[in-house]
């Protein structure tokens, strides 16, 4: 299972964090700091996997953003790499060529999409259509709510 | 959209000029929100949502949030989707599993789960999965399986329910009841909706790891599903096809599920083999797309298939094909693939079927070591070289590793040093090569050569007299270098002190030259090394009487006798006195050559295991043990008591000279056994010999003891079976003992229940800290044997004894023994001890008396071939009928007199009590005095019980 997923910028700003195992805030912060340092220090063209503590880390950079997942010893690195890619595709489809600012200002959407895709550290649905359909439905409900609000 | 507004409201933070400006602004905003929440006017839902959302945003910017939780919980009960959604998001991001709000949150979740509105249910399930606390498990673990298997549940809700249940099972497995639903969950593997299958497979995999029996049927279903996927055309699965690869995620998960089980029955197995072959074939086909996503997804499935092949380790053909495939990847232009291929090959190397095939890639791997630009890939290459090493290629691999070491990254040097040292020792045919290798190691990477490594080379040189002369000559030559590493001085000092005489005949290495050479390094060395050199000098006094006066002059000099360091000063004073007043006979006795060290697991190996985690290293070791067994013979363990007599510590006040034992003497082992003698009759085990460092007080006590103890687990493991045998026929005794710790046992059993008292005695005068004993049962054992215990106090005072009670319940018959693992800190070093706990099936015996007639009647009833197990074996102990009787009674069965027509035979009867069943057992032991053999026959109503009891009892005679 995936232990956590982090999105952070080249400047070391954390943009999104999702933890699939309960942990204290202090421990989380420490891990984020440590892992960001390790990943940011790596050169392009290096391998996307590394051993870190007792975990395997799979990361990939898209433009200015690093997507970084920590998985367990038995887990499959390549499929995790594609998991990241699928998530980026989902964001891209939803926002229409996504950029870092989309994720900053619409963080809740980024979370909702991630939740539809992954749950408790495992893939819930890999179909792009299913995930986006769920999000669109939620957006429709949101529009309803807004209208009512205006009235 | 409100959130975007919020974000801009709060900040433009991303663009804030300075950190201070940002913080100031945020604090202002937080104060504002706080006042809104506290204000008299009740906030409407919309504003509440807005402010909660702002808080969340601020949190995500990296600031701490300590309020607003209550408002978020309020949002959960809103009817508006957006408000509810933000409430749930806040909780899943910010609420830790131990929050007091959980009860309120649980209420809201309960309502949403009952709402039958799939969107609300989805939110609620996500929240449970995100928080995943025990309270939530208590509240919902019963409910969710029902939602999961209900006929009218929507697919999307089913998916969420499956993963939600998985999360709860991971946190609190005891709260998720197995039941009827499990078989229906297994059938979700057949579901039409691939999303449902994907989610369900994750759940089943984790459940199957813990309850393999319950989920056995998933194997054939998984195979047929997999088979349908791999044979489908790339468009069949529509949106579940990813870059022309059909359902890669699901395929990986199914292959992973199959790794929870051994190879399936022949029928299913054929089909699975076909699947695996198809996957291997597809790897050879030209790619359907140039996109990296295509090849990644395809190879993800391939690597998982290879993992399964390795896991089964039963199809030589597939193993070799897998190896060839990985061999291709070793030269692939994608770094990721090279990395994974190296990693995967490491496990292949340990299979006997593919070890040879892996070896053919040696040149490529060596090349990787030289050319890879990424250190993590080079690290994998080192691992693989280590794994593929055997006698045939050891020289080459060690040479290449040494080569690489000269330029290796600092981060992995120490590990390489350990690996080289292990391989050199293990595959040394000729020990001169071993000595050369280790000296090279010290020359190239002296700073990374840990104590364990140079202790070990000394142990080996001392134990093997064929290499001593060569070692002396080589270290002498190495010491000639103008700048040599301090570790070399240590090794050189020790070896010349023992064996300098072997090269003293050569005028180029006469005693005086040896001494001057060592002494020229003396002043550049640290205190421990100087202390070691002083011991070398006193050894020289014995070896070379002709330079005695030179040495005495050195010892007498102010820089020694008045040295500021107490240890050095004391040694100088004592050695000087010793050399002056002792007769040559006494000198010869006191300074005699070191006796051989007892053979045990290499301390270096133990260190590597500690560094890399035990599993990786042990696997390699175990599989290779047989292959290397023939090479490591030859060294015999020294008789322990001989060493105790002939190794007086040179600085101890044997001659009434000194001021008592030096401050850093290792803890005296003589006290062993004194702690628990009142409880147990067994005398404690003999004194264990110390490692080289502590034997001569060359090293500080920490180092010495850490090395000593790091070896204990293996020692214990080796003796483990023997120990278990010792306890089969008795319930009390000393289970384990080393220089620090003694573990004693007292136990009692009645029917299927038992209680064991474990006594931990601290034999030292120092406290043990963070003392944590843990009972480890394999999954299988756990389902058959229920052990319960309370943690003990983490501090054990010096000389004190603590007690731990283990309550035992036998649920059904079992063969393995639980492992007791003890970890604690002693004087700054971490100690780890593992021993098998002697809880064996026969403990649950109740004796049954019966007459001859009854006995034979029952004997006949149990005449199915599976019910009888027989063993013929040689007597290991004198064949005394009285002792045999006592053992049979100790074993737990009744001893039936006058039943067997042959009075020399023994028969017994009893019932094994388990929670699930009572198993009647009859046994018959027929001694054959002439042949010194026994025949033991067991008949019980259950095959596994007969088998296990026969094994246990056979070891007793």
């Amino acid at each position: 299972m995936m232990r956590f997923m982090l999105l952070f910028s080249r400047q070391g700003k954390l943009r999104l964090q999702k933890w699939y195992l309960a942990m204290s805030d202090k421990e989380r912060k420490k891990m984020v700091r440590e892992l960001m340092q390790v990943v940011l220090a790596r050169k392009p063209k290096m391998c996307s996997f590394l051993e870190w503590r007792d975990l395997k880390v799979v990361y990939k950079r898209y433009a200015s953003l690093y997507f970084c997942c920590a998985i367990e010893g038995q887990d499959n690195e390549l499929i995790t790499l594609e998991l990241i890619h699928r998530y980026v595709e989902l964001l891209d489809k939803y926002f229409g060529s996504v950029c870092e600012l989309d994720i900053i200002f619409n963080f809740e959407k980024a979370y909702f999409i991630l939740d539809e895709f992954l749950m408790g550290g495992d893939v819930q649905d890999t179909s792009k259509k299913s995930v986006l359909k769920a999000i669109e439905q939620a957006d429709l409900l949101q529009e309803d709510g807004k209208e009512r609000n205006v009235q | 959209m409100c959130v975007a507004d919020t974000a801009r409201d709060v900040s433009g933070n991303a663009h804030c000029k300075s950190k201070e400006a940002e913080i100031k602004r945020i604090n202002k905003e937080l104060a504002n929100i706080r006042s809104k929440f506290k204000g008299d006017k009740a906030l409407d839902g919309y504003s509440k949502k807005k402010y909660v959302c702002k808080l969340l945003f601020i949190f995500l910017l990296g600031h701490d949030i300590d309020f607003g939780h209550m408002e978020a919980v309020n949002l959960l009960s809103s009817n508006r989707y957006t408000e509810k959604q933000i409430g749930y998001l806040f909780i899943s991001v910010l609420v830790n599993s131990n929050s007091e709000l959980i009860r309120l949150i649980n209420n809201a979740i309960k309502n949403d789960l009952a709402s039958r509105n799939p969107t609300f249910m989805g939110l609620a399930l996500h929240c449970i999965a995100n928080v995943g606390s025990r309270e939530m498990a208590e509240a919902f673990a019963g409910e969710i399986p029902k939602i999961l298997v209900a006929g009218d549940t929507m697919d999307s809700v089913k998916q969420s329910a499956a993963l939600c249940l998985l999360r709860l099972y991971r946190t609190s497995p005891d709260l998720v009841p197995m039941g009827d639903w499990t078989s229906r969950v297994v059938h979700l593997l057949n579901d039409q909706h691939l999303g449902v299958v994907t989610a369900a497979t994750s759940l089943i995999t984790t459940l199957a790891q813990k309850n393999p029996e319950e989920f056995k049927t998933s194997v054939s279903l998984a195979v047929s599903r997999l088979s349908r996927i791999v044979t489908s055309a790339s468009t069949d699965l529509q949106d579940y096809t990813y870059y022309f690869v059909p359902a890669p995620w699901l395929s990986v998960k199914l292959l992973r599920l199959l790794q929870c089980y051994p190879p399936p029955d022949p029928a299913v197995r054929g089909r699975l083999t076909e699947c695996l072959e198809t996957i291997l074939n597809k790897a050879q086909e030209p790619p359907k797309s140039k996109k990296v996503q295509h090849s990644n997804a395809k190879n993800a499935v391939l690597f998982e298939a290879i993992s399964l092949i390795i896991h089964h380790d039963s199809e030589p053909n597939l193993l070799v094909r897998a190896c060839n495939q990985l061999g291709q990847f070793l030269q692939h232009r994608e770094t990721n693939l090279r990395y994974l291929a190296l990693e995967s090959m490491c496990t292949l190397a340990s299979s006997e079927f593919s070890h040879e095939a892996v070896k053919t890639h040696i040149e490529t791997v060596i090349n990787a070591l030289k050319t890879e630009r990424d250190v993590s890939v080079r690290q994998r290459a080192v691992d693989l070289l280590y794994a593929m090493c055997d006698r045939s290629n050891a020289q080459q691999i060690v040479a290449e590793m040494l080569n690489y070491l000269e330029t290796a990254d600092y981060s992995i040097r120490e590990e390489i040093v350990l690996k080289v040292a292990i391989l050199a020792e293990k595959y040394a045919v000729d020990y001169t090569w071993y000595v050369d290798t280790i000296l090279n190691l010290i020359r190239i990477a002296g700073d990374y050569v840990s104590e364990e490594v140079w202790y070990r080379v000394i142990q080996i040189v001392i134990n093997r007299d064929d290499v001593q002369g060569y070692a002396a000559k080589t270290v002498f030559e190495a010491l000639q270098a103008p700048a040599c590493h301090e570790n070399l001085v240590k090794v050189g000092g020790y070896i010349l002190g023992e064996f300098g005489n072997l090269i003293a005949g050569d005028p180029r290495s006469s005693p005086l030259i040896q001494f001057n050479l060592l002494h020229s390094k003396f002043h550049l060395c640290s205190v421990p090394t100087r202390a070691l050199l002083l011991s070398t000098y006193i050894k020289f006094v014995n070896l070379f009487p002709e330079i005695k006066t030179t040495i005495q002059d050195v010892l007498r000099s102010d820089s020694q006798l008045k040295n500021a360091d107490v240890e050095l000063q004391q040694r100088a004073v004592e050695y000087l006195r010793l050399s002056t007043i002792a007769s040559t006979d006494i000198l010869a006795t006191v300074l005699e050559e070191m006796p051989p060290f007892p053979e045990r697991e290499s301390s270096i190996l133990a260190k590597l295991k500690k560094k890399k985690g035990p599993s990786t290293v042990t696997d390699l070791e175990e599989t290779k043990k047989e292959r290397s067994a023939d090479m490591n013979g030859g060294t015999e363990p020294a008789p322990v008591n001989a060493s105790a007599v002939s190794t007086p510590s040179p600085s101890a006040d044997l001659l009434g000279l000194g001021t008592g034992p030096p401050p850093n003497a290792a803890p005296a082992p003589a006290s062993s056994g004194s702690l628990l003698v009142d409880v147990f009759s067994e005398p404690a085990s003999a004194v264990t010999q110390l490692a080289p460092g502590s034997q001569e007080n060359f090293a500080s006590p920490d180092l010495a003891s850490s090395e000593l103890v790091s070896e204990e687990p293996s020692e214990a493991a080796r003796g483990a079976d023997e120990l278990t045998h010792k306890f089969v026929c008795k319930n009390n005794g000393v289970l384990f003992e080393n220089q620090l710790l003694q573990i004693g046992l007292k136990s009692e059993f009645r029917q299927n229940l038992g209680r064991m008292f474990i006594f931990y005695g601290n034999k030292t005068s120092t406290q043990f800290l963070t003392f944590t004993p843990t009972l480890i049962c394999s999954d299988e054992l756990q389902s058959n044997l229920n052990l319960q215990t309370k943690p003990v106090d983490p501090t054990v005072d010096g000389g004190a004894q603590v007690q731990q009670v283990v309550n035992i319940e036998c649920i059904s018959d079992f063969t393995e023994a639980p492992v007791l693992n003890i970890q604690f800190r002693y004087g700054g070093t971490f100690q780890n001890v593992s021993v098998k706990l002697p809880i064996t099936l026969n403990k649950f015996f109740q004796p049954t008396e019966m007459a001859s007639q009854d006995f034979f009647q029952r004997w006949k009833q149990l005449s199915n071939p599976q019910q009888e197990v027989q063993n013929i074996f040689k007597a290991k102990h004198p064949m005394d009928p009285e002792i045999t009787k006592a053992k049979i009674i100790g074993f737990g069965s009744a001893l039936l007199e006058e039943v067997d027509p042959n009075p020399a035979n023994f028969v017994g009867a009893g019932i094994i009590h388990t929670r699930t069943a009572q198993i009647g057992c009859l046994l018959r032991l027929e001694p054959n005095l002439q042949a010194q053999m026994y025949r033991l026959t067991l008949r019980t109503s259950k095959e596994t019980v007969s088998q296990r009891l026969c094994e246990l009892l056979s070891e007793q005679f």
Side-chain angles (χ1 to χ4, degrees), chain A residues 34-63:
Chain A
E34 211 177 292
L35 187 58
M36 271 205 289
Q37 233 172 23
V38 174
V39 171
L40 288 172
R42 290 176 64 85
K43 297 189 187 75
K45 294 261 174 184
M46 274 191 171
C47 139
S48 312
F49 319 124
L50 48 113
E51 278 180 348
W52 182 74
R53 297 193 175 188
D54 57 337
L55 298 173
K56 298 201 278 198
V57 169
V58 177
Y59 73 93
K60 189 162 180 181
R61 196 180 127 183
Y62 289 87

Side-chain angles (χ1 to χ4, degrees), chain B residues 36-51:
Chain B
K36 294 279 185 212
F37 283 164
K38 281 206 177 143
D40 305 330
K41 215 170 64 173
L43 290 175
D44 60 16
Y46 175 79
S47 331
K48 220 181 269 175
K49 182 190 81 176
K50 190 172 82 182
Y51 292 124

Side-chain angles (χ1 to χ4, degrees), chain A residues 48 82 89 124 127 129 142, chain B residues 82 160 239 242-243 296 336:
Chain A
S48 312
E82 291 319 300
E89 282 183 349
Q124 177 164 219
S127 155
K129 274 187 205 146
Q142 204 155 30
Chain B
T82 48
S160 302
D239 211 30
Y242 179 84
Y243 291 87
N296 277 350
N336 288 344

Side-chain angles (χ1 to χ4, degrees), chain B residues 173-187:
Chain B
D174 53 315
L175 292 180
V176 178
M178 296 294 132
D180 299 342
W181 60 273
T182 52
S183 59
R184 301 178 64 180
V185 165
V186 172
H187 281 279

Side-chain angles (χ1 to χ4, degrees), chain B residues 707-728:
Chain B
E707 193 209 18
L708 278 171
V709 180
S710 64
E711 296 176 13
E712 299 300 356
S714 63
E715 206 165 60
R718 199 188 308 156
D721 284 327
E722 223 174 276
L723 266 173
T724 327
H725 297 149
K726 183 173 119 188
F727 282 92
V728 165

